[in-house]
Amino acid sequence: MASCSSLAAIAILVFLLSFTAPLFLAKPLHHSHHPRFASHNYRDALVKSILYFEGQRSGKLPSSQRITWRKDSGLSDGKAMGVDLVGGYYDAGDNVKFGFPMAFTTTMLSWSVIEFGGLMKGELNNAKEAIGWATDYLLKATAHPDTIYVQVGDAGRDHSCWERPEDMDTPRSVFKIDKNTPGTEVAAETAAALAASSLVFRKCNPSYSKLLLKRAIRVFAFADKYRGSYSNGLRKVVCPYYCSVSGYEDELLWGAAWLHRATKNPTYLNYIQRNGQTLGAAATDNTFGWDNKHVGARILLSKAFLVQRLQTLHDYKSHADNYICSLIPGTPASQAQYTPGGLLFKMDDSNMQYVTSTSFLLVTYAKYLTSAHMVVKCGGVIITPKRLRSVAKKQVDYLLGDNPLKMSYMVGYGARYPQRIHHRGSSLPTVATHPAKIQCRSGFSVMSSQAPNPNVLVGAVVGGPDEHDRFPDERSDYEQSEPATYINAPLVGTLSYLAHSFGQL
């Protein structure tokens, strides 16, 4: 395991102290970015946002496991195909391991640590543990050249049951991409995840970091050479769950951008300069998430121009600015929709993933602009880094409870939060309280019940309210009530920034 940890006992002690920390920890320092009082304990939210990943673990759980109602699961994953695919994360409220969103989650957790890890203090080690749990799995999934195991579990069969991961009896079918069944988007995202995480472990575990980077280089070459969408070759398996709608060009640009950042090898810079336009560098779609990486690639590549003064990438500053201008209210190009309560709203299904990923890009771009002493010009309107940070803060504050329902959309944070999340393990009795197996379909009686989930999945951020700020808190409503790893991953970086800027870390 890629641990950079000191003793697990210290991590547990820090975790316990975070819940008993005196109130003065939430008191802000006067800081140039946010002179106002913090209405939220961002440090508490940060601790919980990272802890959530332990509730999503698959495989053999370590002795340091802090979400103790979860037990070992999926211990024979991959065995039928003669490969070891034990470990990794369940992406949301079911028991399937989907490689595409898992890789994106890993990339975003890594980016959070790369940009804001220096501010995380005691939480940095927990964030690295969360990344290492994913990278250990991604290394297994990419162990054979020109092959990536991209899914474990039959989603259709899995969804016909409501059972704990510890009880799974649906087929743990294994699906892969290779030369004959390419999957460029999932391969390039996996390369991005391996490259980004190699930067996370570079100082504390150099040999592991080298292994990750070497694998990233190989996986990207495979992604680029054998081009094709995994949604074609594996349509019956991955659609409609994690079908790629945006194509694979965005992942190739994103993967190359991460490899450029991790290797500093001019090969990747040349690749970006040669292929950027055909891969959609100037694309106008402004949704950033597990499927579409265009905006993320623009922001990431703008750093090379803004901070490292790489003139050949100057276009990415204007591409990134176009995105910002489309997002900020009051600019001539603004297209963003907001709910009456002020939440960015883009999608009916799991809108909060769009909120957390956008907020992360805003604070990250603000960081790059600040170091370059630059601003964004939208027609005649000037947008400062301070403005970007304040838009991001407003979104995070809404998520944490500053909204018409006065409800936190992070489980376990604040006085009022979702009680009936769409999540099997959280909604069913634990193995400790109910040792007998819960059969496939008998769990559905819980799905329709109004009783709160017995196990609190601390830190889980749900899909969130609708466009009218309404949230029914119903377990069957997966669009609004299901948490997911890729909702939490970008939030880790933004919360680290906010906690630091208010003197809570």
Side-chain angles (χ1 to χ4, degrees):
M1 164 71 188
S3 176
C4 296
S5 61
S6 47
L7 294 172
I10 294 173
I12 291 168
L13 182 63
V14 169
F15 168 68
L16 291 171
L17 284 172
S18 70
F19 285 97
T20 54
L23 287 174
F24 66 77
L25 282 176
K27 189 180 176 193
L29 297 175
H30 287 290
H31 192 280
S32 59
H33 298 152
H34 297 295
R36 300 179 310 286
F37 178 75
S39 56
H40 287 287
N41 187 335
Y42 300 115
R43 178 176 179 266
D44 183 46
L46 171 65
V47 168
K48 289 169 176 170
S49 70
I50 298 171
L51 177 62
Y52 155 75
F53 288 94
E54 296 193 16
Q56 295 301 111
R57 284 172 167 172
S58 180
K60 179 84 181 149
L61 303 183
S63 57
S64 58
Q65 173 79 11
R66 298 175 295 167
I67 291 191
T68 52
W69 52 263
R70 279 295 325 283
K71 302 297 176 198
D72 299 347
S73 61
L75 297 182
S76 56
D77 281 0
K79 202 171 180 181
M81 290 277 283
V83 286
D84 173 10
L85 294 174
V86 175
Y89 289 113
Y90 303 117
D91 71 295
D94 59 21
N95 302 324
V96 183
K97 294 195 298 209
F98 293 99
F100 194 23
M102 199 194 306
F104 176 70
T105 294
T106 311
T107 310
M108 292 311 296
L109 269 177
S110 298
W111 199 3
S112 289
V113 167
I114 290 162
E115 298 299 345
F116 303 108
L119 314 178
M120 286 182 183
K121 303 278 175 66
E123 284 311 299
L124 178 58
N125 191 56
N126 289 327
K128 286 178 177 175
E129 291 281 345
I131 294 164
W133 194 266
T135 49
D136 284 355
Y137 177 83
L138 293 177
L139 286 170
K140 292 178 177 185
T142 56
H144 301 134
D146 296 341
T147 302
I148 303 178
Y149 294 95
V150 296
Q151 187 171 319
V152 180
D154 178 323
R157 299 282 289 277
D158 180 90
H159 288 189
S160 69
C161 293
W162 191 264
E163 60 186 352
R164 305 177 293 204
E166 295 84 0
D167 285 341
M168 275 188 291
D169 50 13
T170 51
R172 298 301 283 168
S173 316
V174 174
F175 303 95
K176 65 178 181 177
I177 55 169
D178 54 26
K179 296 176 189 177
N180 304 317
T181 315
T184 301
E185 58 277 87
V186 64
E189 181 60 68
T190 303
L194 293 164
S197 57
S198 77
L199 290 165
V200 169
F201 295 109
R202 185 159 283 175
K203 283 184 181 162
C204 67
N205 194 337
S207 58
Y208 189 72
S209 171
K210 281 180 187 140
L211 173 63
L212 291 168
L213 189 54
K214 194 175 168 190
R215 188 68 55 83
I217 292 165
R218 190 178 88 189
V219 169
F220 184 78
F222 163 66
D224 192 38
K225 185 174 180 183
Y226 300 100
R227 293 194 184 188
S229 174
Y230 95 139
S231 295
N232 295 335
L234 294 175
R235 175 162 292 277
K236 288 180 181 170
V237 177
V238 302
C239 299
Y241 315 102
Y242 291 102
C243 231
S244 173
V245 178
S246 70
Y248 56 72
E249 291 82 6
D250 52 317
E251 276 83 19
L252 284 172
L253 185 60
W254 172 244
W258 275 112
L259 276 155
H260 170 247
R261 186 147 172 187
T263 64
K264 303 286 187 283
N265 186 323
T267 311
Y268 296 105
L269 182 60
N270 295 338
Y271 181 96
I272 292 159
Q273 289 164 333
R274 210 170 52 245
N275 301 296
Q277 293 311 306
T278 55
L279 297 178
T284 52
D285 45 14
N286 289 323
T287 311
F288 177 55
W290 60 262
D291 183 26
N292 194 329
K293 318 297 157 49
H294 281 130
V295 182
R298 276 179 248 167
I299 300 281
L300 183 64
L301 288 167
S302 73
K303 182 188 182 194
F305 167 68
L306 288 167
V307 182
Q308 283 128 12
R309 304 277 190 262
L310 211 52
Q311 294 303 318
T312 52
L313 293 179
H314 65 87
D315 283 356
Y316 287 93
K317 160 78 163 74
S318 55
H319 296 327
D321 286 356
N322 291 341
Y323 162 64
I324 296 298
C325 296
S326 79
L327 196 64
I328 304 296
T331 63
S334 179
Q335 305 161 350
Q337 283 181 290
Y338 290 80
T339 66
L343 185 71
L344 265 168
F345 197 86
K346 187 92 171 183
M347 48 188 78
D348 293 324
D349 183 356
S350 189
N351 179 64
M352 211 53 98
Q353 64 178 297
Y354 168 66
V355 175
T356 60
S357 60
T358 303
S359 300
F360 176 83
L361 292 183
L362 288 172
V363 293
T364 300
Y365 197 46
K367 181 185 171 186
Y368 300 165
L369 289 168
T370 301
S371 35
H373 306 290
M374 291 182 91
V375 294
V376 176
K377 291 174 183 162
C378 303
V381 182
I382 288 180
I383 307 291
T384 61
K386 186 179 176 183
R387 178 82 193 278
L388 298 188
R389 291 185 182 110
S390 108
V391 172
K393 177 184 178 295
K394 194 174 176 193
Q395 294 305 303
V396 173
D397 287 349
Y398 182 111
L399 186 157
L400 294 177
D402 292 2
N403 56 58
L405 295 181
K406 300 286 178 269
M407 172 182 253
S408 153
Y409 290 101
M410 177 186 284
V411 174
Y413 177 88
R416 186 169 181 234
Y417 52 81
Q419 300 292 314
R420 289 173 283 278
I421 64 172
H422 183 94
H423 188 280
R424 287 156 175 74
S426 169
S427 68
L428 293 164
T430 62
V431 174
T433 57
H434 188 291
K437 182 181 167 66
I438 297 172
Q439 297 299 328
C440 161
R441 300 201 63 81
S442 59
F444 280 112
S445 61
V446 166
M447 161 81 94
S448 51
S449 138
Q450 283 302 300
N453 286 11
N455 313 309
V456 182
L457 184 56
V458 174
V461 179
V462 296
D466 67 12
E467 68 272 32
H468 304 293
D469 300 297
R470 295 175 304 203
F471 182 77
D473 196 9
E474 286 173 5
R475 201 173 285 112
S476 57
D477 182 0
Y478 64 86
E479 293 184 342
Q480 290 180 258
S481 292
E482 188 168 18
T485 55
Y486 44 85
I487 303 179
N488 272 60
L491 185 60
V492 168
T494 314
L495 286 171
S496 301
Y497 167 73
L498 289 169
H500 172 77
S501 70
F502 282 102
Q504 297 171 3
L505 275 172

